């Protein structure tokens, strides 16, 4: 993996973290159960993506 690709993954991790933070903040302001359910699923989806990206970096660092 090139340095540029590693930087791209690092940026993507930061973006996922920002999305999670925004969703969590919005979640606390909602009352509609359908929206709460939707955002909860979105948070989980972005946490999973963040974890996959972190795993990619870990594999690269262990090579």
């Amino acid at each position: 993996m090139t340095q540029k690709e590693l930087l791209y993954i690092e940026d993507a991790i930061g973006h996922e973290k920002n999305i999670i933070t925004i969703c969590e903040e919005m979640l606390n302001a909602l009352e509609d159960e359908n929206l709460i359910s939707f955002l909860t699923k979105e948070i989980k989806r972005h946490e999973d993506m963040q974890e996959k990206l972190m795993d990619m970096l870990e594999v690269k660092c262990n090579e």
Side-chain angles (χ1 to χ4, degrees):
M1 202 175 287
T2 67
Q3 183 66 26
K4 187 174 183 176
E5 290 169 325
L6 290 172
L7 290 172
Y8 177 78
I9 292 172
E10 185 179 318
D11 284 346
I13 291 168
H15 293 304
E16 291 298 330
K17 183 177 180 179
N18 287 336
I19 292 169
I20 292 165
T21 299
I22 291 167
C23 287
E24 288 173 340
E25 289 173 3
M26 292 188 74
L27 189 64
N28 293 327
L30 294 174
E31 295 179 13
D32 182 292
E33 290 299 320
N34 290 326
L35 290 175
I36 290 171
S37 176
F38 172 77
L39 270 183
T40 301
K41 290 175 187 173
E42 286 301 301
I43 290 169
K44 173 69 171 124
R45 187 170 71 92
H46 288 283
E47 287 173 340
D48 290 346
M49 179 55 70
Q50 185 180 17
E51 186 63 33
K52 286 179 187 178
L53 292 166
M54 294 293 289
D55 289 346
M56 289 175 76
L57 284 181
E58 185 177 326
V59 166
K60 180 60 182 167
C61 288
N62 290 330
E63 288 182 347

